Amino acid sequence: MVPFLDLDTQYRSIKDEIDAAVARVLDTSQFILGREVAAFEDEFSAWCGVEHTVCVNSGTSALHLALLAAGVGPGDEVITTPFTFVATVAAIHYVGARPAYVDIEPRAFQMDVTRLERAITPATKAIMPVHLFGHPVDMDPLLEIAARRNLVVIEDAAQAHGALYKGRKAGTMGELACFSFYPGKNLGAYGEGGCVVTNNAEYVRTIRLLRDWGCEQRYYHKLRGFNYRMEGFQGAILRVKLRHLDRWIETRRSHAEAYRQLLRDTGVTTPVELPFARHAYNVFAVRTPQRDAVHATLGEAGVQTSIHYPIPIHLQEAWRDERYGEGDLPVAEQVSREVLSLPIYPELSPKQIGEVAGAIRRWPALATSARSRTGN
Ligand SMILES: *Cc1c(COP(=O)(O)O)cnc(C)c1O
């Protein structure tokens, strides 16, 4: 039995540090924001190499506040990808703006920046690249277009802690970037969490106000804000986990390499790392035309897999949009039918990786199609 996620093995490996961190919060009763969250903000800024981090209660809230701080609102368009978690697009709608979709490229499944400029209209206000699965978007051409067309860049780095683009960390290239600390992300809290990072002090002031009801001083509301504050427990826990993050990402990368070796000649396509990229492998999405059958067979063999994501956002019932229909974003639509995410957390053992790969290798139709392709 190989679970898709295994949070308790990781907890046991750092139990003493976590328990002490939780006790510190209990001892001080700083349950909302407080000094653990403030200390984590400083430490995360240093780890990213940015000036400011503002912690909030989820990655979705981070996206919402980043868009508000950037002045995106009703009538504006934000260019993004249809192949992402729904939160990216939901946040654009929360501020009253509309998403404009650029299809993905078929190798790393990121926004195809060669199509970006054509998507810009007079209403375009911002670009929201998503470093999906932990692989960075090709940022140089995107940043060049954004600068020339005067557009704000807000990175959705929710899955990309530790990803590098030409040596630069995901989350340090746009005016603003958003991370999620959802438990399954590369840096996961023990509950909900997220943050905005930026070098812009003005944005920081606005986001700090908006996350706490728009108050500088309690009960004096300068802005129409939200209850988007991070809990003290999450700050304390994230401080502990940040100290292990680089090692965990390295382990994810070596697991990815092991899978690549073991899945050679099986007919499933393993993720690529484009020349400019260092993949952080929050999600290890293989690709096969027989996705649904492989998904089901692995499940029966006790290997839990997942599908990120089965339906691109423009075809999701809740987010239908008259400007986009079936066939309009063909690469995203095709990839959605073929991707399958294998377990990739750091605590996965070599034996478990072997079990996952073995279950795929035993899948008869794949074995046959791989044999006929390689001619043996
Ligand atoms: C997880 C995720 C989010 C939202 O983060 P939450 O913390 O779950 O609100 C946004 N964008 C992407 C790409 C994500 O994977």
Side-chain angles (χ1 to χ4, degrees):
M1 172 75 196
V2 185
F4 185 69
L5 252 186
D6 176 4
L7 297 171
D8 37 295
T9 301
Q10 183 177 86
Y11 168 57
R12 282 195 298 276
S13 76
I14 52 173
K15 184 177 188 311
D16 292 348
E17 288 173 90
I18 293 284
D19 292 357
V22 168
R24 278 201 309 275
V25 177
L26 290 171
D27 283 339
T28 57
S29 299
Q30 295 199 349
F31 298 123
I32 310 289
L33 296 174
R35 70 177 85 111
E36 294 291 331
V37 172
F40 172 70
E41 289 179 335
D42 290 342
E43 290 159 12
F44 193 69
S45 296
W47 183 83
C48 285
V50 295
E51 281 176 44
H52 311 281
T53 297
V54 186
C55 283
V56 291
N57 62 347
S58 74
T60 308
S61 302
L63 291 166
H64 186 186
L65 297 191
L67 285 159
L68 287 174
V72 179
D76 295 333
E77 283 180 6
V78 179
I79 298 177
T80 191
T81 165
F83 190 57
T84 180
F85 180 60
V86 64
T88 312
V89 170
I92 294 168
H93 285 283
Y94 291 170
V95 301
R98 300 202 303 179
Y101 297 117
V102 169
D103 206 355
I104 56 172
E105 41 76 22
R107 292 179 301 165
F109 315 143
Q110 308 302 321
M111 178 192 286
D112 181 352
V113 294
T114 64
R115 298 165 184 269
L116 172 60
E117 192 135 25
R118 272 174 271 163
I120 297 174
T121 72
T124 307
K125 180 89 182 220
I127 307 171
M128 191 176 272
V130 180
H131 306 297
L132 196 74
F133 301 158
H135 188 289
V137 174
D138 188 4
M139 290 298 284
D140 275 346
L142 184 149
L143 293 168
E144 185 276 320
I145 293 166
R148 187 158 41 76
R149 305 293 293 262
N150 199 22
L151 303 173
V152 182
V153 175
I154 302 172
E155 298 173 70
D156 181 341
Q159 302 183 1
H161 318 67
L164 298 181
Y165 172 75
K166 298 184 182 174
R168 301 153 74 188
K169 270 198 169 134
T172 64
M173 295 174 278
E175 275 84 5
L176 297 138
C178 301
F179 288 90
S180 166
F181 303 123
Y182 181 79
K185 302 291 163 85
N186 279 6
L187 178 58
Y190 287 162
E192 305 277 0
C195 74
V196 183
V197 302
T198 181
N199 291 326
N200 181 315
E202 190 58 40
Y203 289 153
V204 170
R205 250 169 33 93
T206 306
I207 295 169
R208 282 191 194 284
L209 282 175
L210 289 176
R211 77 171 166 184
D212 191 11
W213 292 119
C215 299
E216 241 153 29
Q217 194 189 340
R218 196 176 269 189
Y219 310 129
Y220 292 83
H221 305 275
K222 282 175 80 105
L223 295 175
R224 295 186 179 187
F226 304 86
N227 176 359
Y228 280 177
R229 298 167 303 225
M230 178 178 271
E231 293 187 349
F233 285 122
Q234 307 310 337
I237 286 157
L238 288 165
R239 292 184 72 193
V240 171
K241 294 183 79 176
L242 182 61
R243 297 200 284 269
H244 300 276
L245 182 58
D246 288 322
R247 177 170 56 82
W248 286 334
I249 291 166
E250 278 311 320
T251 310
R252 286 175 181 273
R253 289 177 54 75
S254 69
H255 290 349
E257 197 44 46
Y259 271 135
R260 259 200 284 277
Q261 296 300 325
L262 292 168
L263 295 175
R264 265 199 317 222
D265 313 321
T266 55
V268 303
T269 310
T270 49
V272 298
E273 195 170 45
L274 294 177
F276 55 69
R278 178 197 194 249
H279 203 316
Y281 293 109
N282 182 238
V283 173
F284 188 84
V286 300
R287 192 172 168 186
T288 166
Q290 293 108 329
R291 190 270 310 280
D292 291 334
V294 178
H295 183 50
T297 314
L298 289 179
E300 284 157 24
V303 172
Q304 278 181 0
T305 57
S306 185
I307 298 173
H308 302 92
Y309 297 91
I311 303 179
I313 309 296
H314 69 291
L315 301 180
Q316 290 281 357
E317 190 180 341
W319 301 102
R320 284 272 163 81
D321 180 323
E322 73 288 351
R323 294 164 303 158
Y324 301 94
E326 184 117 36
D328 287 342
L329 299 156
V331 183
E333 292 169 26
Q334 180 76 25
V335 168
S336 300
R337 288 191 286 269
E338 298 188 352
V339 279
L340 182 68
S341 309
L342 308 185
I344 188 81
Y345 42 92
E347 296 70 29
L348 204 61
S349 68
K351 179 163 168 288
Q352 288 175 309
I353 294 172
E355 280 168 26
V356 177
I360 292 174
R361 296 196 80 92
R362 278 194 304 279
W363 199 66
L366 283 179
T368 315
S369 66
R371 256 198 310 279
S372 61
R373 272 189 311 104
T374 54
N376 53 17

